[in-house]
């Protein structure tokens, strides 16, 4: 997963260095949201994501045409022989911004797609390209709904988790990954990309939005966790996976209108389910 061919983007084994201003800002932001409000946010998590999709419909996120470029495993299953029928699970499918570009590239791919938000899943099903012979879309709370109710055990070749685990409370992340583990075939893998520690979005939070270290609440009630690669490894290994790759992606996003460049930090990784045969 080399990013050197793309401008303003590179992989790194270490965290990006903070400016002195950024260090002071983080050091000053010590107070966390009250336990009462945190419990309320947890209870209303699904409602808040459903309202997000109600407000934004299918227009908020751009289609993710970059997935096959960033993950060679996805390129492999979309370009493979038509005699093979690889099975993909997209966890946190949203309205299908990654799903439909992949389906368009491959005539033989079968996709299970789930999301926390019932409204998002309905948007997937309402898409003109939705084909129930090729797509199984369903609502699921990964922290408590058993994926095996929708997908046979050891059935999935590749799982994508793109900016989804960050929305889960850190105390429940291992349960979510253990749930995913059950449906991945031995030798299958999870392709992961999510927010990294010291990402610009994390540093923009004003006081009053911190839930715990690295975990924040947005204005609309949705939450975001900012990962270190060490914590990510700990989660996946605890759930039974083996690390294949795990790096920070450092990139500069240019806002042409405002004439500024901001540092984005993501964690991009691949974890494999051991093949014990």
């Amino acid at each position: 997963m080399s990013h050197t061919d793309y401008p303003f983007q590179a992989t790194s084994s270490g965290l990006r260095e903070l400016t002195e201003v950024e260090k002071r800002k983080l050091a000053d932001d010590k107070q966390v949201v009250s336990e009462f409000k945190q419990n309320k946010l947890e209870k209303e998590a699904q409602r808040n994501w459903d309202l997000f999709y109600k407000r934004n419909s299918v227009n908020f996120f751009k289609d993710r045409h970059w997935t096959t470029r960033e993950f060679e495993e996805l390129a492999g299953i979309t370009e493979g022989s038509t005699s093979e029928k690889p099975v993909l699970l997209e966890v946190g499918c949203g309205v299908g911004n990654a799903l439909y570009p992949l389906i368009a590239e491959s005539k033989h791919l079968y996709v299970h797609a789930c999301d926390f938000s019932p409204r998002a899943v309905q948007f997937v099903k309402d898409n003109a390209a939705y084909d129930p012979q090729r797509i199984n879309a369903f609502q699921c709370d990964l922290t408590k709904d058993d994926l095996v109710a929708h997908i046979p055990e050891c059935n999935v070749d590749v799982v994508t988790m793109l900016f989804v685990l960050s929305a889960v409370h850190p105390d429940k992340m291992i349960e979510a990954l253990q749930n995913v583990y059950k449906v991945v075939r031995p030798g299958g893998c999870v392709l992961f990309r999510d927010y990294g520690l010291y990402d610009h979005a994390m540093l923009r939070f004003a006081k009053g939005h911190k839930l715990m270290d690295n975990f924040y609440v947005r204005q609309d009630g949705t939450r975001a966790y900012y990962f270190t690669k060490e914590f990510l490894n700990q989660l996946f290994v605890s759930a039974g996976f083996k690390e294949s790759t795990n790096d920070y992606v450092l990139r500069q996003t240019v806002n042409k209108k405002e004439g500024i460049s901001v540092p984005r930090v993501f964690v991009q990784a691949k974890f494999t389910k051991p093949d014990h045969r």
Side-chain angles (χ1 to χ4, degrees):
M1 291 186 295
S2 172
H3 304 272
T4 53
D5 297 334
Y6 304 101
F8 312 111
Q9 181 166 300
T11 54
S12 172
S13 59
L15 290 164
R16 84 169 183 88
E17 289 190 23
L18 295 174
T19 66
E20 290 303 316
V21 172
E22 290 170 336
K23 288 177 183 177
R24 284 197 298 272
K25 184 179 187 300
L26 288 178
D28 288 343
D29 191 10
K30 295 176 181 176
Q31 188 169 351
V32 298
V33 171
S34 70
E35 184 178 354
F36 173 80
K37 186 175 180 183
Q38 294 218 34
N39 290 335
K40 187 170 185 287
L41 287 167
E42 180 66 21
K43 289 176 184 175
E44 295 179 354
Q46 185 182 71
R47 175 178 176 271
N48 288 332
W49 276 110
D50 228 36
L51 289 172
F52 170 88
Y53 286 110
K54 182 179 181 180
R55 284 191 303 273
N56 296 292
S57 182
V58 297
N59 304 313
F60 189 81
F61 299 109
K62 294 179 181 178
D63 279 353
R64 291 170 170 164
H65 293 285
W66 50 264
T67 55
T68 52
R69 184 189 74 207
E70 296 290 331
F71 294 107
E72 60 186 26
E73 294 80 9
L74 287 180
I77 63 173
T78 57
E79 296 167 3
S81 164
T82 53
S83 64
E84 301 171 353
K85 291 194 179 297
V87 177
L88 174 76
L89 165 61
E90 187 182 4
V91 176
C93 62
V95 299
N97 296 102
L99 159 63
Y100 284 114
L102 289 172
I103 284 286
E105 287 186 39
S106 172
K107 295 179 180 178
H108 58 285
L109 181 65
Y110 185 86
V111 180
H112 298 286
C114 65
D115 200 275
F116 194 26
S117 163
R119 193 179 300 269
V121 172
Q122 194 56 51
F123 278 131
V124 170
K125 292 182 175 181
D126 290 343
N127 191 302
Y130 184 75
D131 178 358
Q133 298 300 313
R134 299 190 61 201
I135 305 169
N136 170 33
F138 57 95
Q139 189 276 332
C140 180
D141 177 350
L142 277 183
T143 66
K144 62 182 182 182
D145 299 333
D146 196 345
L147 279 172
V148 174
H150 300 273
I151 306 170
E153 283 192 55
C154 302
N155 173 257
V156 175
D157 298 296
V158 177
V159 180
T160 56
M161 297 187 73
L162 309 176
F163 301 98
V164 58
L165 194 62
S166 54
V168 176
H169 193 287
D171 291 349
K172 297 183 178 181
M173 287 179 181
I174 289 178
E175 286 92 328
L177 294 176
Q178 288 171 334
N179 200 359
V180 170
Y181 184 89
K182 289 186 286 187
V183 299
V184 180
R185 67 166 177 79
C189 67
V190 177
L191 305 178
F192 180 96
R193 184 160 174 158
D194 217 321
Y195 303 110
L197 189 66
Y198 305 149
D199 179 51
H200 178 69
M202 172 184 167
L203 297 171
R204 286 182 61 192
F205 282 109
K207 288 184 179 181
H209 289 260
K210 187 174 183 177
L211 302 172
M212 63 176 67
D213 285 347
N214 308 347
F215 194 39
Y216 294 81
V217 59
R218 302 184 184 95
Q219 206 68 40
D220 63 2
T222 62
R223 299 168 299 175
Y225 187 88
Y226 295 84
F227 291 93
T228 63
K229 64 178 196 173
E230 291 80 11
F231 180 57
L232 186 68
N233 172 274
Q234 180 184 327
L235 289 171
F236 271 90
V237 170
S238 295
F241 291 96
K242 181 180 179 182
E243 180 185 299
S244 297
T245 59
N246 186 7
D247 287 297
Y248 295 106
V249 176
L250 308 179
R251 62 183 299 180
Q252 292 290 324
T253 299
V254 179
N255 185 323
K256 293 180 180 177
K257 183 180 286 187
E258 297 183 19
I260 59 171
S261 175
V262 298
R264 302 307 310 268
V265 182
F266 307 123
V267 178
Q268 186 159 308
K270 173 185 174 183
F271 293 91
T272 304
K273 182 171 181 175
D275 190 342
H276 297 300
R277 289 176 297 176

